[in-house]
Amino acid sequence: MEKALYDRLCAAADRRREIEEQLCDPAVASDVQAATKLMQELSRLSPVAEKFNEWQQADSTVQETKELLEDTLDKDFRALVFEEHESALSDCEKLEEELRILLLPRDPNDDRNVILEIRAGTGGEEGALFAGTLLRMYSMYAQAKGYRISVLNATPTELGGYKEVTMEIHGTGAYSRFKFESGVHRVQRVPETETQGRIHTSAATVAVFPEAEDVEIDINPADLQIDTFRAGGAGGQHINKTESAIRITHLPTGLVVECQDERSQYKNKDKAMKVLKSRLLESERRKQAEKQAGERRSMVGSGDRSEKIRTYNYHQYRVTDHRIGLTLYKIENILNGDLDELIDALITADTAEKLAQSE
């Protein structure tokens, strides 16, 4: 292990011990805000320190067996020592790779809630039906992970699809699991309305961004145009009776957000503002990322909506993620919310790309 990496790991282990000592101090423990901050730092450092301890033990075995191999040994004993030496060397290499991954800069948004938008793209009503299929897929996946979901706004079509739908996903780590879903999702299937059995291609766009915190985005009230209207579509007795739905237009950017999920105009306004702040924060984040990285696109894509990221082919029973060239022949399972294999593969590819950049 090179010295720079070793020094970083030693510093992490030292800092972990320091935090543990501070948390034993009654004065620190009684300060909830300070203690919480220290506990969060400790939770990030502990996996690194524990893995580093494993590496040190394996490295110690390497050194001990190396010294033994330099002595004159019985043939059988030497074979046993050599085997242990090779095993410890392999462990060191594996643990060093895991430590490099643990030391990669963590996405500060990973633990946040998610705002997810789905919009029907090409294909007319078939595109809208596919948007509904994606809504169901993401809802089932979120529920399987223990996240709480709520639909903030939806524009349904007559055949049961959606022109657009916005949902909020609550749960620790939600953004880390959904952040690679942004982009164009393409479907190839025979529509129910197709009489000649021809396969049609249609699409829907997905946008995913972390929920913004109030302290991060300061919006001038003068920059907002707020309109009320009567909610439309299926949804309850209050529909079309009161102007509880809210439309907010951010004049400087032209962003428009609607919310008609709640009966209360106040609650709808609060939710619409939450979505608007999240979209503005994501827009700013993208600008900064593009400025830093130029036009280079990583292995798992930039999440730009113009990118075709995935194809769902019903006839061939396959789902292909074009960013990493992964094809899985279990479309039914995936559309029923079994997304872990896809998402894990994207996270692995992203980690590999970051490791390559750090070398």
Side-chain angles (χ1 to χ4, degrees):
M1 179 182 293
E2 65 267 26
K3 186 177 185 302
L5 177 59
Y6 184 82
D7 289 345
R8 286 181 66 190
L9 292 168
C10 286
D14 290 343
R15 176 58 181 160
R16 182 203 191 192
R17 285 191 290 270
E18 182 183 335
I19 292 173
E20 288 173 337
E21 290 174 2
Q22 288 180 338
L23 288 171
C24 290
D25 184 341
V28 175
S30 63
D31 186 337
V32 177
Q33 188 174 359
T36 300
K37 190 174 180 180
L38 286 171
M39 286 296 293
Q40 290 173 341
E41 187 179 359
L42 183 64
S43 68
R44 292 194 298 269
L45 289 173
S46 289
V48 178
E50 289 165 8
K51 191 70 66 176
F52 182 44
N53 184 53
E54 289 181 44
W55 179 88
Q56 287 176 310
Q57 292 178 18
D59 184 62
S60 177
T61 301
V62 169
Q63 302 307 320
E64 290 171 3
T65 53
K66 182 180 178 181
E67 290 178 7
L68 281 173
L69 288 171
E70 292 173 353
D71 295 334
T72 303
L73 300 174
D74 173 81
K75 183 179 178 181
D76 291 338
F77 183 51
R78 183 181 182 82
L80 288 172
V81 172
F82 180 77
E83 183 179 345
E84 186 177 2
H85 179 76
E86 291 297 303
S87 176
L89 272 176
S90 178
D91 288 344
C92 278
E93 290 176 3
K94 179 183 176 183
L95 290 165
E96 184 174 334
E97 184 70 14
E98 291 174 0
L99 283 164
R100 290 182 189 277
I101 292 172
L102 286 171
L103 286 175
L104 286 174
R106 188 173 180 274
D107 187 337
N109 295 318
D110 273 353
D111 288 335
R112 294 199 185 192
N113 298 331
V114 164
I115 303 295
L116 188 147
E117 296 179 343
I118 306 171
R119 286 186 170 80
T122 57
E125 185 62 42
E126 176 63 11
L129 288 170
F130 181 50
T133 299
L134 292 178
L135 172 62
R136 177 179 177 273
M137 178 183 78
Y138 289 132
S139 297
M140 293 182 73
Y141 179 65
Q143 290 169 348
K145 303 301 285 187
Y147 301 144
R148 182 166 54 88
I149 61 174
S150 57
V151 175
L152 302 180
N153 186 58
T155 306
T157 61
E158 293 182 359
L159 296 183
Y162 290 90
K163 290 182 180 178
E164 61 180 76
V165 59
T166 302
M167 64 191 296
E168 189 175 22
I169 303 168
H170 296 260
T172 302
Y175 185 69
S176 70
R177 302 303 295 176
F178 282 90
K179 64 182 178 181
F180 296 122
E181 294 302 299
S182 291
V184 175
H185 294 244
R186 186 177 68 169
V187 63
Q188 294 173 324
R189 63 184 176 186
V190 178
E192 295 180 9
T193 55
E194 171 59 54
T195 57
Q196 299 181 23
R198 293 175 298 184
I199 295 175
H200 288 226
T201 298
S202 54
T205 60
V206 176
V208 178
F209 33 87
E211 183 180 276
E213 297 177 0
D214 286 340
V215 295
E216 295 175 293
I217 295 291
D218 184 23
I219 298 177
N220 186 345
D223 290 338
L224 300 178
Q225 177 181 314
I226 301 177
D227 301 304
T228 59
F229 61 99
R230 292 182 181 179
Q237 295 182 356
H238 72 289
I239 298 297
N240 293 326
K241 290 188 177 182
T242 61
E243 292 195 346
S244 61
I246 290 288
R247 180 186 298 112
I248 300 178
T249 304
H250 186 245
L251 299 175
T253 62
L255 283 175
V256 179
V257 174
E258 293 181 0
C259 187
Q260 52 180 298
D261 178 54
E262 300 284 351
R263 294 172 182 265
S264 161
Q265 186 182 108
Y266 172 79
K267 289 183 178 178
N268 279 327
K269 180 181 177 183
D270 184 55
K271 287 189 174 183
M273 283 297 295
K274 186 182 295 184
V275 174
L276 177 62
K277 288 180 178 180
S278 297
R279 289 178 67 177
L280 288 171
L281 181 65
E282 176 67 3
S283 176
E284 184 60 32
R285 187 192 67 81
R286 287 187 184 279
K287 287 178 184 177
Q288 292 176 358
E290 287 177 5
K291 183 178 179 181
Q292 292 171 356
E295 293 302 316
R296 188 188 65 80
R297 293 295 180 258
S298 70
M299 192 173 178
V300 294
S302 66
D304 189 291
R305 296 188 201 185
S306 65
E307 292 183 334
K308 177 185 70 177
I309 66 165
R310 193 175 296 151
T311 295
Y312 305 75
N313 187 301
Y314 278 65
H315 180 66
Q316 297 176 0
Y317 200 70
R318 67 172 170 85
V319 175
T320 298
D321 196 289
H322 303 287
R323 295 164 293 181
I324 54 175
L326 175 65
T327 296
L328 300 175
Y329 291 89
K330 54 175 189 177
I331 190 171
E332 185 176 340
N333 291 1
I334 289 171
L335 292 176
N336 283 331
D338 184 8
L339 291 172
D340 273 335
E341 188 172 357
L342 269 171
I343 290 172
D344 287 342
L346 288 163
I347 291 173
T348 299
D350 181 57
T351 301
E353 179 71 8
K354 288 176 178 175
L355 277 172
Q357 292 174 25
S358 66
E359 292 178 354

